[in-house]
Amino acid sequence: MQRRGTRRTTWGRGLIAAVSALGMTGALASCAGAVGSGDVTLRLVAADYGDSSANSSKKYWDKLVEDFEAEHSGIKVEVSVYSWNDVDRKVKEMVARGDAPDMAQIGAYADYAAAGKLYPADDVLSIPVQADFASELSDAGKVNRTQYGMPFAASTRILFYNKTLFSEAGITTPPQSWSDLATDAQLLKAKGVKYPYALPLGPEEAQAETMQWLLSGGAGYLNGFGGYDLDSAQNVATFTWLKDNLVGKGLTGPVAPGKLNRADAFAAFTRGEVGMLNGHPSLMKMAREKGVKFGMVPMPGINGRAKSTMGVADWMMAFQQGGHKDQIREFLDYVYSEKNVLSFSREYDLLPVTSSAQETMAHSSQDQDLEPFLQELPSAELYPVGKTSWATVSADIKNRIGKAVGPDGSPAAILGQLQRAAVTADSAAR
């Protein structure tokens, strides 16, 4: 397997050197009283990355705010934490009634940027802090070449496989190509494995599984000019292969892919019922807690490992309405310190969004489990979150893509429908 660790490390050091040249004193200029007299209270709405009250993100933010306020007199911070089911809606409602928070840490920023409601990132971050973002994440945070979305958390996808089931089926090496994957799935099925390959194209997160497969087929959601290209010849060929070689041969389990959600697929993996599936870092902890022995490899491609994988980022944004630009900068510079970025990433098994924290993690023995995901990040392709139409297009993919591999489905027809709707949504958003 080709390793990207050296490439990433060299790039990280180069960027850190550049940051040093800019002068780290800018990042350290924050101090008590630096933003003037009088107390200001900042409001932040944030998403909850925990799976129980024991590890709720509220605990992370409570500790960070306590430490920040101890060092910065005159600035108070109130954080409201909501589940991912509610947080985007909460922020939308606040903005709609003219009560935007100072900051929001949610899943998408483009609509607010297009509406002129956000500060550009260089207004609310010092130069060294903004320059420390991984470049591929900074680029994904731009609308019309201006960065508004500040990456807060990231992850990539790789292929998980159950080592015990592989051994019982006589499989000695994980798949490197689509042909290998199909062959291994046949062997797993012959041994009675319930889900030889779990293909979650249900409405929870079908856009992720879809994108991973499109990338492994050499294409993706967009063409080289940034326009939607869902029904390209490569994408149609990818879904035709899935339909004919996995779904049609009964290798994706008893639940139709269009009805299988990611959470259910992950749960089945932790029960030892899944031979292979695409997963992100949090699946490691879930599987270990259930005693599942697993391996992880890059996603197979048509004739070898895929050239790129899917990356996901969540975003921080700063709203102009409250007019607290200077205080927001004080707080966000603190949020994005290496200590805090590493603390959050390690708590929730996510990838750090800054080069300095990535560099530290790459050389830390406690973070070895995340190394396969870190290796994929420099070549990862993210959702087209800078397009204001993406939310509509993503929802459409979730609702329809499962039909493309159904018994009566046509990949060309379904992808064609999705493409026409995407073009319409994109035109309406301009």
Side-chain angles (χ1 to χ4, degrees):
M1 143 177 134
Q2 179 183 354
R3 292 180 59 84
R4 290 192 173 86
T6 301
R7 172 186 169 192
R8 179 181 52 76
T9 299
T10 302
W11 163 73
R13 287 175 178 162
L15 183 53
I16 292 169
V19 171
S20 297
L22 288 168
M24 287 305 295
T25 54
L28 300 175
S30 311
C31 59
V35 295
S37 59
D39 284 351
V40 167
T41 298
L42 300 176
R43 293 182 300 152
L44 166 64
V45 176
D48 194 349
Y49 289 80
D51 54 18
S52 68
S53 58
N55 68 342
S56 169
S57 295
K58 184 177 186 305
K59 291 189 174 182
Y60 171 82
W61 286 112
D62 284 350
K63 179 65 166 61
L64 184 148
V65 167
E66 179 183 359
D67 293 344
F68 172 81
E69 290 180 350
E71 298 177 20
H72 298 77
S73 61
I75 305 177
K76 303 296 182 183
V77 184
E78 295 178 353
V79 183
S80 301
V81 176
Y82 298 97
S83 75
W84 276 108
N85 293 329
D86 299 321
V87 67
D88 290 291
R89 175 177 54 82
K90 289 286 187 181
V91 173
K92 185 176 181 179
E93 291 171 352
M94 293 173 73
V95 173
R97 65 174 181 259
D99 187 32
D102 295 286
M103 296 161 286
Q105 186 273 298
I106 52 178
Y109 65 87
D111 285 352
Y112 300 122
K117 296 183 180 298
L118 301 181
Y119 284 115
D122 56 10
D123 278 0
V124 290
L125 292 172
S126 66
I127 292 174
V129 170
Q130 187 178 6
D132 196 24
F133 287 133
S135 60
E136 64 274 13
L137 300 177
S138 288
D139 289 343
K142 294 178 180 178
V143 173
N144 295 326
R145 296 184 294 278
T146 298
Q147 184 181 357
Y148 294 94
M150 294 164 277
F152 183 75
S155 68
T156 55
R157 299 290 197 269
I158 59 179
L159 187 76
F160 283 68
Y161 64 97
N162 185 308
K163 288 185 173 181
T164 302
L165 297 180
F166 265 50
S167 178
E168 292 173 351
I171 306 170
T172 57
T173 57
Q176 296 184 3
S177 67
W178 287 1
S179 176
D180 293 342
L181 190 149
T183 298
D184 291 346
Q186 288 279 15
L187 293 170
L188 291 163
K189 181 182 179 182
K191 283 293 183 179
V193 175
K194 190 172 183 179
Y195 295 89
Y197 177 85
L199 183 66
L201 295 177
E204 179 193 358
E205 205 187 31
Q207 83 285 0
E209 185 74 12
T210 297
M211 184 171 174
Q212 182 65 78
W213 275 98
L214 298 185
L215 291 172
S216 72
Y221 284 136
L222 305 180
N223 58 30
F225 302 99
Y228 288 112
D229 199 19
L230 278 74
D231 63 345
S232 68
Q234 287 169 294
N235 290 344
V236 171
T238 295
F239 264 77
T240 299
W241 187 91
L242 277 172
K243 177 179 169 63
D244 294 345
N245 293 279
L246 291 185
V247 182
K249 293 184 179 179
L251 302 179
T252 54
V255 180
K259 297 185 180 298
L260 181 64
N261 284 322
R262 181 199 64 178
D264 297 326
F266 278 18
F269 188 81
T270 66
R271 294 193 299 268
E273 298 173 353
V274 175
M276 299 172 281
L277 84 170
N278 285 316
H280 52 62
S282 66
L283 183 57
M284 294 188 300
K285 181 179 179 181
M286 295 167 60
R288 285 201 182 98
E289 288 177 347
K290 298 294 185 179
V292 175
K293 296 180 180 179
F294 62 90
M296 302 179 294
V297 292
M299 178 66 181
I302 299 175
N303 298 310
R305 63 164 293 177
K307 293 180 180 179
S308 62
T309 189
M310 188 190 74
V312 176
D314 300 322
W315 303 95
M316 179 74 75
M317 62 212 69
F319 287 88
Q320 295 180 355
Q321 183 177 342
H324 297 143
K325 178 175 64 175
D326 294 337
Q327 292 84 0
I328 292 171
R329 185 188 301 116
E330 292 277 333
F331 181 64
L332 290 183
D333 275 5
Y334 188 82
V335 167
Y336 285 107
S337 67
E338 182 180 331
K339 176 190 73 172
N340 288 323
V341 171
L342 282 171
S343 175
F344 184 86
S345 300
R346 286 166 171 166
E347 175 66 27
Y348 298 106
D349 290 322
L350 292 166
L351 303 183
V353 296
T354 61
S355 297
S356 56
Q358 288 180 13
E359 184 81 4
T360 298
M361 187 174 278
H363 293 90
S364 171
S365 59
Q366 77 179 94
D367 301 308
Q368 287 181 349
D369 285 349
L370 288 173
E371 181 64 16
F373 298 92
L374 277 169
Q375 288 179 13
E376 297 296 308
L377 189 57
S379 65
E381 186 169 324
L382 279 71
Y383 296 133
V385 290
K387 297 174 78 67
T388 55
S389 59
W390 171 240
T392 299
V393 174
S394 175
D396 200 21
I397 292 169
K398 291 178 182 181
N399 289 330
R400 290 203 236 189
I401 195 62
K403 298 175 184 176
V405 295
D408 301 319
S410 163
I414 295 299
L415 288 170
Q417 293 170 13
L418 288 168
Q419 172 66 12
R420 290 189 290 275
V423 171
T424 300
D426 204 32
S427 297
R430 292 175 184 173

